[in-house]
Amino acid sequence: MDLGAYLSGYADGEGCFCVTFNRSRRHALGWDIRPSFSVSQNRERAQILELFRQSFGCGTVRPDRSDRTLKFEVRSVPELVRSVIPHFRQHPMLSAKQRDFEIFAEICEMMSRGKHLTAAGLKKFAGLADEINRNGKKKYPRLEIKV
């Protein structure tokens, strides 16, 4: 069995590539950008979450506050760039979620090069994040950015 392909298929159905923006007084432009990859599962099937953690060599498994499931999550940009992104490039998903992944990967790679530290970069990230979450409630195109 190809574990990498299995994990990608699993993530295709149960995974999430997300980029959130939180107001922050600590950040020069007034926003903290947090990309994350996560997969949720019921407690009785938590072994799949451990497979993700072991295979990627990073991330955490924790209770999900929104429901009674467990969640495997990677939030560190260096770990996303080093482990998660290469995995999904080697083992692409077969649904439209692959497009979301490509946008997510672009954001993470730009962040690893410091592009999020400029007003222009932050605005670009907001537009890209909206493309990932086309049906979501949060929209970020008009971020108020400190200059």
Side-chain angles (χ1 to χ4, degrees), residues 15-95:
C16 178
F17 298 96
C18 181
V19 180
T20 59
F21 293 75
N22 297 301
R23 288 194 181 276
S24 171
R25 293 178 190 209
R26 293 184 316 117
H27 294 80
L29 297 174
W31 292 92
D32 179 24
I33 305 171
R34 293 186 181 183
S36 69
F37 165 70
S38 63
V39 180
S40 296
Q41 184 51 266
N42 294 328
R43 288 182 185 274
E44 60 272 7
R45 296 187 182 141
Q47 62 270 33
I48 185 65
L49 303 179
E50 275 303 316
L51 278 175
F52 273 97
R53 194 179 66 72
Q54 291 170 6
S55 179
F56 289 172
C58 62
T60 58
V61 175
R62 64 173 178 79
D64 190 336
R65 287 179 273 164
S66 66
D67 56 22
R68 293 193 171 146
T69 63
L70 293 176
K71 178 186 278 191
F72 165 76
E73 185 173 43
V74 181
R75 295 177 63 177
S76 159
V77 172
E79 290 175 348
L80 289 165
V81 170
R82 182 180 67 248
S83 299
V84 176
I85 291 171
H87 170 86
F88 288 104
R89 290 222 167 109
Q90 185 175 355
H91 305 281
M93 293 168 286
L94 301 179
S95 76

Side-chain angles (χ1 to χ4, degrees), residues 83-136:
S83 299
V84 176
I85 291 171
H87 170 86
F88 288 104
R89 290 222 167 109
Q90 185 175 355
H91 305 281
M93 293 168 286
L94 301 179
S95 76
K97 193 175 284 188
Q98 182 66 23
R99 180 182 177 277
D100 291 344
F101 160 73
E102 292 297 342
I103 295 167
F104 175 83
E106 180 180 357
I107 290 170
C108 291
E109 289 166 343
M110 289 173 65
M111 285 184 75
S112 73
R113 295 189 307 270
K115 301 292 184 184
H116 62 299
L117 302 174
T118 68
L122 187 59
K123 285 182 182 182
K124 179 174 176 93
F125 285 20
L128 289 170
D130 269 349
E131 287 184 44
I132 292 175
N133 193 14
R134 291 176 294 286
N135 299 320

Side-chain angles (χ1 to χ4, degrees), residues 134-146:
R134 291 176 294 286
N135 299 320
K137 295 177 184 175
K138 287 188 174 184
K139 300 292 177 195
Y140 302 106
R142 294 187 208 117
L143 293 178
E144 298 168 16
I145 299 170
K146 293 181 187 177

